[in-house]
Structures are given as structure tokens and as C-alpha cells.
Amino acid sequence: MRGAITLILAIVLFAVIAMDGYGMFVAFQTSKEIALGAAQSAALNVQATGNEGAAQKAANEYVTKNGGELLELERGRYQSHWYRAKVRVEPDTRVFHFIPLLNRLLDQESTASYTF
């Protein structure tokens, strides 16, 4: 009887870790896609208008619309023109966000660049 309870608890624990881990993986992939989209949005906007403020606003709107937070948007003009965006996305976890030590480490960040 004790062995069956231990087995059931181990299976439940494994399922919770797997589900929350998958949620974090999805958030990481999403943050990469949103960062690339924000960099592209900023590049296209600055090409069309020539206004860097409007490009920053367009990137921020893109990230907000897609459920992320724009941490940084950087423009480079050395040999080629590019934008680099850094985005944070909060994962959809079921249990980990209730654990005090883990909930600070759950957010997923990614950086992506777009050259134009």
C-alpha cells in the first residue's frame, strides 16, 4: 500500500514538473518570436518614417499586443543597420509560480536581431 502511494505521488510530481516545464519552454519560444517581430516592426517603421521614436513605439506596441514586455530596443548603424530587441514573457505555470524561490526565476527572456 505504501509503495502504491509513493508511486502515485511520484507520478503526480513528475506530471506537474513536466507541465510547468513545458509552459516555460513555450514562453521561451514565444519570447524569441516576439523579440524578432519587435525588431522587424521597428526596422520597417524607421525605414518608412525615418523617425526612431515612432520605431520604438511600434516595437513596444507589437510586444504588448503579443503578451510580452519590451526590455530593450537597440539600433546599430555601423556596417549595416539593425535593431536588437530584448523581450520578457511570463510563462503559464500551474504550480511553480506558488513556490517563493522559483516564482522569481520563471520569466523567460530572449533577444533577437533584424538587419535591414
Side-chain angles (χ1 to χ4, degrees), residues 80-109:
S80 63
H81 294 277
W82 51 267
Y83 268 99
R84 180 180 303 134
K86 184 175 184 179
V87 173
R88 176 185 299 145
V89 173
E90 186 176 322
D92 181 26
T93 58
R94 305 285 184 238
V95 177
F96 285 171
H97 66 276
F98 291 115
I99 301 172
L101 296 175
L102 284 179
N103 65 4
R104 291 180 246 157
L105 306 172
L106 295 178
D107 291 349
Q108 300 297 309
E109 296 178 4

Side-chain angles (χ1 to χ4, degrees), residues 17-94:
I17 291 172
M19 283 188 333
D20 283 358
Y22 180 73
M24 291 174 62
F25 173 75
V26 168
F28 178 72
Q29 294 293 60
T30 303
S31 69
K32 284 181 7 180
E33 292 172 10
I34 293 173
L36 180 58
Q40 287 174 336
S41 177
L44 294 175
N45 194 292
V46 84
Q47 282 180 321
T49 65
N51 185 346
E52 288 189 42
Q56 172 80 28
K57 184 178 178 184
N60 198 19
E61 287 175 358
Y62 179 86
V63 171
T64 303
K65 182 180 86 172
N66 287 295
E69 177 186 357
L70 184 63
L71 300 176
E72 183 180 342
L73 184 67
E74 183 181 2
R75 181 176 183 189
R77 300 180 222 170
Y78 181 59
Q79 292 178 341
S80 63
H81 294 277
W82 51 267
Y83 268 99
R84 180 180 303 134
K86 184 175 184 179
V87 173
R88 176 185 299 145
V89 173
E90 186 176 322
D92 181 26
T93 58
R94 305 285 184 238

Side-chain angles (χ1 to χ4, degrees), residues 4-18:
I5 293 173
T6 303
L7 179 63
I8 290 171
L9 288 177
I11 290 172
V12 167
L13 181 64
F14 178 74
V16 165
I17 291 172

